[in-house]
Amino acid sequence: MAPSFSDDYTHFAVKKGHGVKGISELGLKALPKQYIQPLEERIDMTKVLDKESIPVIDMSNLDDPNVADQIANAAEKWGFFQIVNHGVPIEVLEDVKEATRSFFQLPADEKIKFSQENSPTKHVRFGTSFIPKAEKALEWKDYLSLFYVSDEESSTFWPAACKNEAIEFMKKSEFVIKWLLQALMQKLNAENMDSKAPLLMGSKRINLNYYPICPNPELTVGVGRHSDVSTLTFLLQDNIGGLYVRKMETDAWIHVPPISGSIVINVGDALQIMSNGKYKSVEHRVAANGSNNRVSVPIFVNPRPEDIIGPLPEVLRNGEKAMYKQVLYSDYVKHFFRKGHDGKETIDFAKI
Ligand code: OGA
Ligand code: NI
């Protein structure tokens, strides 16, 4: 039954498992009011620089020392870049986007089985918006969030519509993720990757994001301003576009154009903290779209929940003053999920 009152839309989307995809399919003329964002949170196209773009880095020749330089430079100056010729097969990318569409195509009563209340495991969560309980205005996005523990656990608990494709995407991305982190560590003179790997990439979460067609897209957002809490985020987007990144130290934004076969990489808060601010975890957001459904698939490469993160000893060896304290990573993540999206504020939790 289609809802008739404004409050019923929240119930329909959040509680009944229809998500914003369900609202979208009602074909409403106007956006329900709980999705209307305050003016300052909407995307102001006059603040978008259309002549600038984040770096695109070709990874076809990993023996070229230039590649590592470009990566470290981009992580310092932009916090965001795209990689091409990265070695993850195109079929793997196409398959996981298609699996994302298949999962969201399921009826609401199938998807709701994976909601926070119903999911058989806390490692699998289907939801809509970001934190509906904590948000002043809701966001126009549905998601499935999958925390990886083991192949066995994933194949038991992850939804059948997408589990093989999601696992395959994670597996095939492993090499390039490690290579990127190694390059970034080398430039910090912290090259002992064997000992660093558990801290930098000891846990992974893959999200399948679905941004359905939105009535009045200019009044809301797909995802509000935030920075990621990851070490590094490895994001696959389809050909629709809509991801905007803040140009560092300005109030201007830059669109991340879809490039077929590319992966978008961004530094997360954990790496900003570990590098003592050298690598930047930059604010970003996603626009809602009035004419196309969009999917994206980020892999959040994270420390383990039980890790203590702080500026790496190698970075402070030269006498540099620590800007961040040591924090338990799970506390940091909890802090992020206690509040709505609020730009770069999460990192204050770790500031000295
Ligand atoms: C995120 C995010 C961007 C996108 O999930 O943290 O920023 O393009 N996603 O979906
Ligand atoms: Ni993000």
Side-chain angles (χ1 to χ4, degrees):
M1 254 277 285
S4 49
F5 296 107
S6 195
D7 275 354
D8 292 348
Y9 288 111
T10 310
H11 187 75
F12 177 77
V14 178
K15 289 281 180 306
K16 292 286 181 193
H18 292 276
V20 282
K21 180 168 182 292
I23 299 183
S24 173
E25 288 166 358
L26 297 172
L28 304 179
K29 294 277 172 295
L31 183 72
K33 69 172 190 319
Q34 44 277 73
Y35 291 91
I36 300 179
Q37 292 285 331
L39 253 180
E40 63 276 14
E41 295 302 333
R42 300 182 203 163
I43 301 182
D44 175 355
M45 285 301 161
T46 68
K47 294 271 167 62
V48 174
L49 307 173
D50 47 13
K51 296 202 170 43
E52 293 198 59
S53 54
I54 60 169
V56 177
I57 301 173
D58 184 344
M59 296 189 73
S60 49
N61 182 7
L62 297 181
D63 296 329
D64 179 353
N66 225 331
V67 179
D69 285 345
Q70 288 178 50
I71 287 165
N73 253 320
E76 263 185 68
K77 304 272 151 36
W78 296 90
F80 257 89
F81 52 98
Q82 301 207 57
I83 54 173
V84 294
N85 300 318
H86 42 64
V88 184
I90 190 85
E91 306 79 55
V92 172
L93 306 182
E94 292 307 315
D95 288 352
V96 74
K97 284 184 281 183
E98 201 44 45
T100 301
R101 295 182 194 105
S102 305
F103 174 78
F104 288 98
Q105 210 53 49
L106 293 172
D109 54 3
E110 284 299 314
K111 289 183 281 193
I112 197 82
K113 291 179 184 162
F114 300 99
S115 70
Q116 192 166 12
E117 291 75 28
N118 303 327
S119 180
T121 159
K122 63 181 190 315
H123 298 151
V124 177
R125 195 178 63 234
F126 162 71
T128 185
S129 189
F130 177 55
I131 314 280
K133 281 198 194 88
E135 288 168 305
K136 292 196 200 86
L138 298 179
E139 298 179 350
W140 195 261
K141 178 183 103 166
D142 298 333
Y143 67 89
L144 177 71
S145 187
L146 304 164
F147 184 80
Y148 178 83
V149 175
S150 67
D151 284 0
E152 200 192 350
E153 212 238 9
S154 312
S155 57
T156 310
F157 291 113
W158 292 12
C162 56
K163 68 180 173 195
N164 293 338
E165 295 82 0
I167 294 169
E168 192 64 6
F169 179 43
M170 291 182 75
K171 295 256 131 114
K172 289 285 169 13
S173 306
E174 182 93 14
F175 177 83
V176 58
I177 288 171
K178 192 161 185 187
W179 201 95
L180 290 166
L181 285 169
Q182 180 137 30
L184 291 167
M185 286 301 114
Q186 234 161 40
K187 303 288 164 192
L188 295 178
N189 299 313
E191 40 268 286
N192 190 350
M193 207 33 203
D194 288 339
S195 68
K196 287 277 174 330
L199 177 65
L200 296 169
M201 50 185 294
S203 84
K204 290 201 185 111
R205 174 181 294 282
I206 179 166
N207 280 10
L208 311 186
N209 293 327
Y210 195 86
Y211 303 92
I213 294 172
C214 179
N216 309 121
E218 64 291 347
L219 302 182
T220 189
V221 292
V223 182
R225 292 180 303 114
H226 70 286
S227 63
D228 295 348
V229 294
S230 56
T231 305
L232 210 69
T233 303
F234 190 89
L235 175 118
L236 171 66
Q237 63 168 337
D238 66 11
N239 60 355
I240 303 302
L243 171 60
Y244 292 85
V245 172
R246 188 188 285 280
K247 183 177 180 187
M248 225 181 282
E249 282 154 16
T250 73
D251 65 351
W253 295 79
I254 296 172
H255 184 238
V256 180
I259 298 174
S260 173
S262 82
I263 296 286
V264 181
I265 307 291
N266 65 281
V267 172
D269 292 355
L271 185 56
Q272 177 168 330
I273 292 168
M274 289 191 266
S275 68
N276 202 32
K278 181 177 161 87
Y279 298 135
K280 312 293 192 311
S281 171
V282 163
E283 244 178 290
H284 53 285
R285 57 190 355 184
V286 178
N289 189 306
S291 39
N292 293 103
N293 302 308
R294 173 176 186 264
V295 298
S296 70
V297 187
I299 299 174
F300 298 103
V301 181
N302 298 325
R304 293 162 303 190
E306 66 274 21
D307 282 321
I308 308 271
I309 63 163
L312 296 171
E314 291 88 341
V315 181
L316 301 180
R317 210 159 37 196
N318 58 7
E320 192 174 304
K321 195 163 162 280
M323 293 170 63
Y324 305 101
K325 50 192 177 202
Q326 307 284 324
V327 295
L328 180 66
Y329 187 62
S330 62
D331 285 345
Y332 192 83
V333 174
K334 264 185 224 149
H335 177 67
F336 176 68
F337 285 108
R338 257 198 297 265
K339 53 195 180 47
H341 284 134
D342 56 2
K344 278 291 294 174
E345 287 185 21
T346 316
I347 208 158
D348 291 347
F349 186 77
K351 274 194 185 137
I352 285 180

